[in-house]
Amino acid sequence: MAPSSLTLPTVILISILSLISPSQSASCTSQSFTNNRLYSFCNDLPSLNSYLHWTYDPTQSTLSIAFLAAPPRPDGWVSWAINPTGTGMVGSQALIAFREDNGGMTVKTYNVTSYGPLTESRVWYEVRESSAEFSGGVVRLFATLVLPERGRESLNQVWQVGPSVTGGVPDKHEFQPENLNSKGSLDLLRGESTVVTGGGDSRMKKRNIHGVLNVVSWGIMFPVGIIIARYLKTFPSADPAWFYLHIFCQVSAYAIGVAGWGTGLKLGSESKGITYSIHRNIGIALFSLATVQIFALLLRPKKDHKYRFYWNIYHHSLGYSIIILGIINVFKGFQILNPAPKWRNAYIIVIAILGGIAVLLEAITWIIVLKKKKSSKSTKPYGGGLNNGHGRQEPLDP
Ligand SMILES: *[C@@H]1O[C@H](CO)[C@@H](O)[C@H](O)[C@H]1NC(C)=O
């Protein structure tokens, strides 16, 4: 989430940082390709003298790559792979380029399940097109892949070179340190590849903190605070406790929510090239509505003021909008963060319980109100939730 007001300073800051940091030192930046192939990013991979160029479109989940490496011998092979389940060779979904018996270069896919001989197979991603060239001792492997998961921001990559191919099957590679360290994670959107030592961890942590803060605040505390206000005030004995509880709950929810919102802005500004616009816009709307609600407290007319009726309408409709948008945005967030299903299910259970409590209290409220109406004709029924519990004191009223 990054409102446009933040975009300009962020852009300026990033431009300054990129001027300072030595990002131009990579030698891949001087490599170019025939057929006007251009890529958004490139990396000098940390071992085996290899290079990766790529363009990633997160909305289409397409990843176009050019992988450059020199096989130990001209008849050898080079490979670039994604490991969707782990970090090393086993489990990797590999593209391997080598020269076929007919003399042409080919690219084949392999689901690498063990250290044994490879057999060509389907892989985790779809290969839209692939080709390879060999010149100057270097193989250039080109491919356009469609990843099965949308919105991926990073991948575990593995690359390798091997000396020979026998009968169309790539033979095993050396087991030198260079060959064993040729793996890492690739930040698809920021153009960085890091050696596997838990690089993407801090970002993951930030995303989880963002998720927890916002689910607790917008997804749980705001609805609880509204349930307190709507239903507890029906019980004369809960007065004025409900009012303080309501204020306490909503002000804490707001504080946590603003913290969660801030982490969202930070994540949004760090995620170049991918914008979750609906999630972001709902987040901005929620923050604005909640801020107005907090100020509404200060602007509240006295209970018998003629504008109090309109204030109630406005306060209640904003409150209900916040519940609805809050819950929608929590689910949007689950879609983006994609945590283990148990978290989403746990939240659904919490919301269902809150909903159940609300339905029950709604029924009780109606019974109480109808009884009151019978016993005293002068008391209006507690109806659509827009009037303000006549006959009850609100402690902040002077
Ligand atoms: C790769 O092989 C493993 C083990 O046989 C299998 O579980 C997995 O589904 C395969 N992946 C693909 C994309 O076919």
Side-chain angles (χ1 to χ4, degrees), residues 93 111 113 122-124:
Q93 308 292 303
N111 177 4
T113 52
R122 287 169 50 95
V123 285
W124 178 70

Side-chain angles (χ1 to χ4, degrees), residues 36-37 67 78 82 113 121 135 166 197 226 259 303 325 342 358 384 394:
N36 294 325
R37 288 182 209 261
F67 171 72
V78 308
I82 295 172
T113 52
S121 59
S135 67
T166 309
T197 43
I226 291 178
K303 209 176 62 182
L325 289 177
K342 63 179 177 189
E394 282 183 52

Side-chain angles (χ1 to χ4, degrees), residues 84-375:
T85 51
T87 54
M89 169 179 155
V90 171
S92 66
Q93 308 292 303
L95 294 162
I96 304 189
F98 55 88
R99 188 176 298 285
E100 280 186 306
D101 290 343
N102 66 15
M105 294 296 291
T106 185
V107 176
K108 291 187 170 156
T109 57
Y110 300 84
N111 177 4
V112 182
T113 52
S114 70
Y115 286 97
L118 296 174
T119 42
E120 190 180 357
S121 59
R122 287 169 50 95
V123 285
W124 178 70
Y125 44 79
E126 177 197 328
V127 180
R128 202 162 269 176
E129 54 163 317
S130 63
S131 61
E133 297 167 357
F134 179 78
S135 67
V138 173
V139 176
R140 294 170 190 77
L141 188 169
F142 301 101
T144 300
L145 316 178
V146 184
L147 305 182
E149 283 173 21
R150 290 183 120 221
R152 285 285 295 223
E153 295 183 7
S154 68
L155 287 174
N156 291 325
Q157 60 173 342
V158 187
W159 62 98
Q160 197 52 266
V161 297
S164 56
V165 176
T166 309
V169 179
D171 297 322
K172 76 175 173 18
H173 57 79
E174 299 275 329
F175 283 83
Q176 299 303 314
E178 281 261 286
N179 301 84
L180 301 176
N181 292 331
S182 53
K183 58 190 179 183
S185 95
L186 181 66
D187 188 323
L188 292 169
L189 298 171
R190 281 191 298 169
E192 287 164 12
S193 71
T194 46
V195 182
V196 179
T197 43
D201 264 17
S202 84
R203 187 170 167 76
M204 202 58 220
K205 211 178 271 168
K206 273 190 227 160
R207 295 176 63 147
N208 290 341
I209 291 173
H210 169 76
V212 170
L213 289 177
N214 287 300
V215 168
V216 167
S217 149
W218 307 100
I220 298 175
M221 288 177 74
F222 271 111
V224 167
I226 291 178
I227 289 177
I228 289 173
R230 179 163 168 81
Y231 301 111
L232 282 195
K233 69 177 168 193
T234 324
F235 305 99
S237 57
D239 198 14
W242 75 264
F243 183 76
Y244 290 120
L245 262 175
H246 176 60
I247 300 280
F248 173 75
C249 201
Q250 304 314 60
V251 169
S252 348
Y254 182 73
I256 298 172
V258 168
W261 191 70
T263 56
L265 291 182
K266 181 103 178 36
L267 287 169
S269 68
E270 285 173 1
S271 146
K272 296 283 145 249
I274 186 164
T275 313
Y276 301 104
S277 32
I278 299 178
H279 186 65
R280 188 193 70 166
N281 294 342
I282 295 180
I284 292 169
L286 275 171
F287 172 74
S288 318
L289 291 178
T291 305
V292 171
Q293 283 293 61
I294 295 291
F295 281 104
L297 186 67
L298 308 174
L299 298 176
R300 193 173 57 142
K302 284 180 195 161
K303 209 176 62 182
D304 43 9
H305 195 282
K306 60 178 174 174
Y307 290 143
R308 179 57 181 258
F309 174 71
Y310 299 104
W311 185 89
N312 284 341
I313 292 182
Y314 136 86
H315 184 63
H316 295 161
S317 36
L318 246 59
Y320 290 125
S321 313
I322 290 174
I323 294 199
I324 294 166
L325 289 177
I327 292 173
I328 291 176
N329 226 24
V330 165
F331 281 104
K332 286 271 163 215
F334 277 128
Q335 244 172 40
I336 295 166
L337 207 57
N338 205 6
K342 63 179 177 189
W343 296 109
R344 196 166 175 274
N345 295 341
Y347 181 65
I348 292 175
I349 290 171
V350 169
I351 283 300
I353 290 173
L354 288 179
I357 292 174
V359 167
L360 193 72
L361 290 173
E362 184 77 33
I364 295 175
T365 306
W366 274 94
I367 293 168
I368 292 177
V369 168
L370 291 178
K371 262 190 193 154
K372 265 191 199 153
K373 194 187 174 189
K374 250 187 197 167
S375 60

